[in-house]
Amino acid sequence: MKDLGSLMKQAQAMQEKLAEAQARLAELSVEGTSGGGMVKVTLKGSGELARVDLDESLMQPGEGEVVADLVVAAHADAKRKLDTAQAEAMREAAGPLAGMGLPGMPKF
């Protein structure tokens, strides 16, 4: 029974670390780029689109489809970075219990 008590304490500590990691992630922002930096997109830790920066040279008549494609690509780049940062923060918070498949714990 001592092992179960110890495991429960570890699980509780991990939950606290996960909550702290989630709070840090909420304050995170990541930038994705495309077109050699001509389009930049900033995502908040929650995944909310915070900013889009477009190079002035893209503001030409008939370039709407190209701009749209570049915005989508920059968003995808930022989303990959955000997903990586979130997974890394959660793995760090979970410590040795990561991947054990405990009920109520996220899988990494």
Side-chain angles (χ1 to χ4, degrees), residues 9-24:
K9 285 182 182 179
Q10 286 179 341
Q12 184 177 6
M14 183 177 69
Q15 283 181 326
E16 290 171 6
K17 288 181 181 178
L18 286 172
E20 291 170 6
Q22 287 173 333
R24 284 192 311 271

Side-chain angles (χ1 to χ4, degrees), residues 26-103:
E27 296 176 7
L28 176 72
S29 68
V30 295
E31 185 177 274
T33 62
S34 67
M38 295 176 74
V39 175
K40 296 177 186 173
V41 172
T42 304
L43 294 181
K44 293 182 180 181
S46 63
E48 177 184 348
L49 181 61
R51 184 174 176 90
V52 175
D53 291 310
L54 304 173
D55 188 277
E56 291 287 325
S57 66
L58 294 172
M59 302 301 149
Q60 302 294 325
E63 293 296 317
E65 189 173 332
V66 171
V67 172
D69 289 343
L70 289 172
V71 170
V72 169
H75 181 273
D77 182 43
K79 180 71 168 113
R80 277 190 301 275
K81 291 175 182 177
L82 181 60
D83 290 346
T84 299
Q86 289 173 335
E88 183 178 318
M90 291 297 115
R91 273 193 301 277
E92 287 175 13
L97 298 178
M100 288 184 64
L102 296 174

